[in-house]
Amino acid sequence: MANVLLPTDLSISSLYPIHEICRQAGNEPCNIHVIHTLSMPTGIMDLLFLQEKRPYKMLPASFLEAMDLLRTKYSAVIGKLSFEFLWGHSRGFLRNYMEARSIETIYMLKEREYKPALPESVDCRTTLHQCQLPVVYVQKKEKEEYGTLTTLLYRERKTSITEKV
Amino acid sequence: MKIQLKITLLFTLLCFSVIVLLSIAVYYFANERAFQDFYTRLELRAVIASKTNFEASEQNQEAYEHLRTEHMQRLPGEEEFIIRTDTLDRIRNSPLYKTTGSDFFLQIEAEGKASVRHGFQFFKGILHRTDKDTYLIIVSAVNEDAQSFLLNLRKILTIACVVSTLVIFSIGILFSRQVLAPIRSIARRVTTISVTSLHERLEVREGKDELSALASTFNDMLSRLETAFETQNNFVSSASHELNTPLTAIIGEADFALARRRGEEEYRQALQIIMSESEKLQAIIRGLLELAQSSFSDKLVYEEVFVEDLLYSSLQVAKNVYPLCPVSVNQSLHPEGRPVSIQGNKQLFELAISNVLLNACKYSKGGPVNLAAAVSGAHVIFLISDTGIGIPENEIKYIFDPFFRASNAKKTRGYGIGLPLARNIIKLYKGQIVISSKEGVGTEVVIKFPAAPGSYQILT
């Protein structure tokens, strides 16, 4: 079963590439690892009292709902759709993470402005490029967002993909 | 009986029970254990008696006798018994044997000593072995101190019980009055609130206790009542206004036509205006009727309604009214596999979704309108979005009020009944409707209904 990585900024539109992942998977099920990277605190007291589960309580309900919606939509193709906060964004850390999960491909939205959702949020897209794995860009017509789930509506003819290894 | 008195009596009864139990325990254990020292004194006398009678040396015997007679206080009713064990059968009918019981003698023989009490007469026995025989030495006396001690103790405990009960009762009254004071205050305040003063609220104290919760709940209820009354007043005045407008036009036109003899064309024009205004009136009244009916949940119909059918029938309604609007069903979020269904009345669901869809088409400025369905958890989600005029942010909260028209929508014809009607239907079937909009950009309406049980399961 293929494993793919999808970095997000916890916005619903950042889940949009799941459409393309499932379209490209065809009949072969795949596991999608959705991540959001956080910067590891540097202070000793912060490290000592770090609560790994705290960010999960701040996950937007709409984001979880959108994941559930896509999981249901592509239930025949998606083997596992999981979400994880990663405390760290260095190249070595991300490479180890992807190696442990046998990630084969990274998907992300093309030319999308990263909007940090939490104070510790960090954009890891640049670092992911350096991890020597294929990166697939999914283009989505960026427009001013006024809704939530509308951003997930897939329009095949308006999507363009470029691959970069 | 008032709750205050009940609380006081309950509190008093509980404390009284505890005090009585405690008193009984104190008296019992004092009765049982407080006279060990008397037994010790009797034992000492028994030992000295054994030494006096059985010591080998005569001098020692005399010394012990001297000690006993000169230095030891004679206890009230003190008696001494020295019984050889092989003569026990002879004393079975004696008062001593009958008073102490056979167990006492058996215990002395088995363990070497024993003690027993009969009322306030105490008996202590020890076993003494000589070279030839074995003797039971028993000393008994009356513990007069114990008698007076226990009598005093009983008096003290009784008085303490009575006094403490009275004190507890008084404290209970004060305590219950203090506890119930906030409830009395709430009751006094609530009696002052009437239909004309629904804006008043109860004072909510800081804290998370039950009384604060009660006051908050009352305030929430008052807010809902106030909103309901205001909505009703607004509805009545809005309905009157909306109905009055076409009626005024009809009457005006009829008046104008009847004022003097006119030509055929003028009569035709007047009748056409009367006809069009009558149709408007009919549409308003039909909408009001549907709105009123949608508020009644007594006879709800529950049947399986397939989501895909619903989407396409609503789409057809929209295409019939706005054939030029680019409205389409987007299947990109619709689950693949088994069909999805919801439980309810198909006509009502169609009415709700098509009302929202018609609004989207009306205000889309010719832009695309999307209708989609998705499943998330235990809900079926309908999504209607457009890229039209949007709704001003400060007016979104009024969008479900009957007859409300947004400030940027007044140029477009409408009555402000569609969305309230849709919301009522959605609420009837335990659904939710959420509107997100940005003026000049577009509007998204998300409608959620509980999925029919077992209608869709994720394929694993």
Side-chain angles (χ1 to χ4, degrees), chain B residues 437-451:
Chain B
S437 184
K438 197 156 186 178
E439 195 175 1
V441 178
T443 304
E444 174 191 89
V445 179
V446 175
I447 301 172
K448 282 188 201 175
F449 286 109

Side-chain angles (χ1 to χ4, degrees), chain A residues 111-131:
Chain A
E111 291 165 2
R112 177 173 165 88
E113 187 195 340
Y114 182 86
K115 294 170 191 170
L118 302 173
E120 309 97 331
S121 297
V122 167
D123 187 2
C124 63
R125 291 177 296 178
T126 315
T127 315
L128 284 171
H129 287 145
Q130 300 164 359
C131 293

Side-chain angles (χ1 to χ4, degrees), chain A residues 19 65 68-70 72-75 143-144 146-150 152-155, chain B residues 331-332 334 336 370 374-377 385-386 436 438 441-444 448 456 459:
Chain A
H19 288 296
E65 187 178 62
D68 198 36
L69 196 151
L70 289 165
T72 311
K73 159 73 183 171
Y74 296 111
S75 55
K143 59 179 176 179
E144 203 172 348
Y146 54 87
T148 53
L149 298 175
T150 307
L152 275 185
L153 292 176
Y154 182 63
R155 294 170 191 81
Chain B
Q331 298 263 16
S332 63
H334 197 90
E336 292 155 2
N370 286 301
V375 174
S376 171
S385 66
D386 65 73
S436 313
K438 197 156 186 178
V441 178
T443 304
E444 174 191 89
K448 282 188 201 175
Y456 186 83
L459 300 170

